[in-house]
Amino acid sequence: INPLICHSSEDMSAAEKEAAVNAVVYGNVGRVTEMVCSQSQTLNRLHEEGRIAVVGAVYDIATGQIEFLPHSDGCVASLPSV
């Protein structure tokens, strides 16, 4: 979270609060998936061999739905659209 762009949630509408939370969640998933591969030579090798893919996902506790996030950098996989 960039403290320079954070401001009090008291000044935000419900939609702005939801958007801010979503930005943090999706940003975190992206950072963690990148970090998994950047810190593991084994995972990078397995990805290069086509044996694994690291895929980020967000679970919505309100709906029970899982959203798989497409990404194409490093060893994070891009998923085909369905």
Side-chain angles (χ1 to χ4, degrees):
I1 301 172
N2 184 344
L4 297 176
I5 61 170
C6 290
H7 41 92
S8 172
S9 63
E10 296 171 1
D11 299 334
M12 300 169 84
S13 69
E16 290 172 321
K17 289 178 186 178
E18 183 176 354
V21 168
N22 285 339
V24 170
V25 168
Y26 286 86
N28 185 58
V29 170
R31 279 187 297 281
V32 169
T33 54
E34 289 294 332
M35 191 172 58
V36 164
C37 287
S38 69
Q39 294 184 359
S40 173
Q41 293 177 352
T42 301
L43 292 180
N44 267 327
R45 180 179 49 78
L46 292 171
H47 170 70
E48 289 172 4
E49 294 171 358
R51 296 173 61 192
I52 67 161
V54 176
V55 180
V58 174
Y59 175 70
D60 186 326
I61 61 172
T63 65
Q65 302 244 338
I66 299 171
E67 179 182 358
F68 292 96
L69 306 181
H71 200 290
S72 60
D73 295 334
C75 84
V76 180
S78 284
L79 296 176
S81 299
V82 261

